[in-house]
Amino acid sequence: METNPRNITWHPSLSHHERALLRHQPGLTIWLTGLSASGKSTIATALEQHLLSVPLAAYRLDGDNIRFGLNADLGFSPADRTENIRRIAEVAKLFADSCSVAITSFISPYRADRALARKLHEQAGLPFVEVWVDVSVAEAERRDPKGLYKKAREGVIKEFTGVSAPYEEPEAAEVVVRSGETSVEEAVVQIVGYLEGKGLLKVGGE
């Protein structure tokens, strides 16, 4: 007889399709990745505003904001970065399964971690759209709205992505936004255009 050492049981609920029909909208995750100061959060906010005006239920999960609560116990070591992304991937999956549009804006520097986030969604039959907000380190450092690159160069911040820690560029992102030459409005149009073209904003892709 197989035992369950944690004494937990998965409780089945409505299927995702049943929820989608009842809520009259699909669920999916839009995963924005890129360097600090690439414009991820600004684009994610504008995208959320647009989708809510459609109207579609949408919610933005921000890399900085999540560390004030759910991930307040995590630092920036490679292991903590991986756990940070694992947790938010699970949360985004729940939003998507509830038939909301989860919009995440996280540096998420490691390909393996982003692949895990995608796999979690695919295993649940949920769409996952990776959006690479592409900007050079030089341009991100020129912007540096929070002064983080300056602190990293001075050694005040350790393991800072793009300076003293790696960013592994996506190899097959569904959408690539060239942040240095694309306005926020144009980025939203580009992302929404992809979603509409794939039928991801309609129930059942109708």
Side-chain angles (χ1 to χ4, degrees), residues 35-37 137 140-141 144 147-153 160-161 163:
L35 294 171
S36 178
V137 174
E141 197 163 354
D144 202 14
L148 300 180
Y149 283 92
K150 182 175 184 295
K151 291 181 179 179
R153 294 294 184 191
F160 187 78
T161 304
V163 176

Side-chain angles (χ1 to χ4, degrees), residues 88-167:
I88 202 60
E90 291 282 5
V91 172
K93 185 183 75 170
L94 292 175
F95 271 89
D97 189 46
S98 76
C99 294
S100 296
V101 180
I103 306 168
T104 75
S105 51
F106 285 72
I107 294 173
S108 43
Y110 303 132
R111 292 192 189 104
D113 294 344
R114 298 193 301 266
L116 173 62
R118 181 185 295 275
K119 182 178 179 181
L120 287 172
H121 285 72
E122 291 177 345
Q123 289 177 334
L126 299 167
F128 181 93
V129 177
E130 185 177 39
V131 177
W132 177 22
V133 184
D134 179 21
V135 69
S136 67
V137 174
E139 174 59 19
E141 197 163 354
R142 185 192 67 77
R143 298 175 181 179
D144 202 14
K146 304 173 187 175
L148 300 180
Y149 283 92
K150 182 175 184 295
K151 291 181 179 179
R153 294 294 184 191
E154 294 170 349
V156 176
I157 300 178
K158 307 297 182 184
E159 298 183 286
F160 187 78
T161 304
V163 176
S164 51
Y167 177 77

Side-chain angles (χ1 to χ4, degrees), residues 3-201:
T3 61
N4 183 344
R6 294 194 295 167
N7 297 307
I8 58 175
T9 302
W10 179 265
H11 294 275
S13 182
L14 293 175
S15 70
H16 178 72
H17 181 67
E18 288 171 323
R19 286 196 193 93
L21 292 176
L22 290 168
R23 296 197 64 187
H24 306 292
Q25 81 158 68
L28 67 144
T29 290
I30 305 169
W31 190 281
L32 279 73
T33 175
L35 294 171
S36 178
S38 63
K40 299 182 304 298
S41 294
T42 303
I43 293 170
T45 298
L47 178 60
E48 180 188 27
Q49 291 173 333
H50 170 80
L51 294 176
L52 288 170
S53 71
V54 170
L56 289 168
Y59 192 80
R60 179 177 67 95
L61 299 163
D62 182 78
D64 280 351
N65 294 353
I66 210 75
R67 286 180 176 271
F68 283 93
L70 177 64
N71 292 348
D73 60 321
L74 298 177
F76 292 90
S77 68
D80 279 0
R81 288 177 184 271
T82 291
E83 176 60 13
N84 182 52
I85 297 307
R86 186 196 69 80
R87 290 184 193 178
I88 202 60
E90 291 282 5
V91 172
K93 185 183 75 170
L94 292 175
F95 271 89
D97 189 46
S98 76
C99 294
S100 296
V101 180
I103 306 168
T104 75
S105 51
F106 285 72
I107 294 173
S108 43
Y110 303 132
R111 292 192 189 104
D113 294 344
R114 298 193 301 266
L116 173 62
R118 181 185 295 275
K119 182 178 179 181
L120 287 172
H121 285 72
E122 291 177 345
Q123 289 177 334
L126 299 167
F128 181 93
V129 177
E130 185 177 39
V131 177
W132 177 22
V133 184
D134 179 21
V135 69
S136 67
V137 174
E139 174 59 19
E141 197 163 354
R142 185 192 67 77
R143 298 175 181 179
D144 202 14
K146 304 173 187 175
L148 300 180
Y149 283 92
K150 182 175 184 295
K151 291 181 179 179
R153 294 294 184 191
E154 294 170 349
V156 176
I157 300 178
K158 307 297 182 184
E159 298 183 286
F160 187 78
T161 304
V163 176
S164 51
Y167 177 77
E168 298 173 358
E169 297 180 352
E171 296 177 321
E174 282 78 9
V175 180
V176 179
V177 174
R178 307 295 182 190
S179 178
E181 54 196 59
T182 306
S183 70
V184 173
E185 294 76 14
E186 289 169 338
V188 171
V189 169
Q190 182 181 354
I191 296 167
V192 171
Y194 174 85
L195 298 174
E196 290 179 340
K198 295 295 183 180
L200 293 175
L201 298 181

